[in-house]
Amino acid sequence: MITSDGRVITGELVGNDQVQNLILNQAQERVYSDDAPVELVELGLYVIRGDNVCMVGDFDPEKWDDTTEISPL
């Protein structure tokens, strides 16, 4: 999941409601930096307000590659 402020959060989606508030179990934030490896921050049970949700998608750790560079627009 990506929030409207650009945070990348992964976890097990265990609930949502009519205004798209999300509840994630075993949530982790992936923090990216130009000069450091990806940092994983354990969040545990985490609630994200619906107005802060930008994108939700399926996460497959076997296909995720943190070494891929994304060129700026």
Side-chain angles (χ1 to χ4, degrees):
M1 189 205 85
I2 299 177
T3 64
S4 60
D5 59 352
R7 295 173 64 194
V8 177
I9 300 173
T10 61
E12 176 188 2
L13 180 64
V14 293
N16 67 313
D17 64 11
Q18 67 275 11
V19 291
Q20 206 53 37
N21 294 318
L22 303 178
I23 302 170
L24 298 175
N25 195 18
Q26 300 173 351
Q28 291 182 328
E29 180 177 2
R30 302 176 77 83
V31 180
Y32 295 90
S33 174
D34 289 336
D35 55 353
V38 175
E39 179 184 354
L40 294 177
V41 179
E42 296 292 331
L43 302 172
L45 185 64
Y46 202 70
V47 177
I48 302 162
R49 287 182 45 147
D51 61 350
N52 198 26
V53 174
C54 181
M55 182 177 69
V56 176
D58 191 21
F59 175 74
D60 184 353
E62 293 180 6
K63 294 180 181 177
W64 188 274
D65 184 5
D66 287 322
T67 61
T68 304
E69 279 191 37
I70 300 173
S71 59
L73 298 175

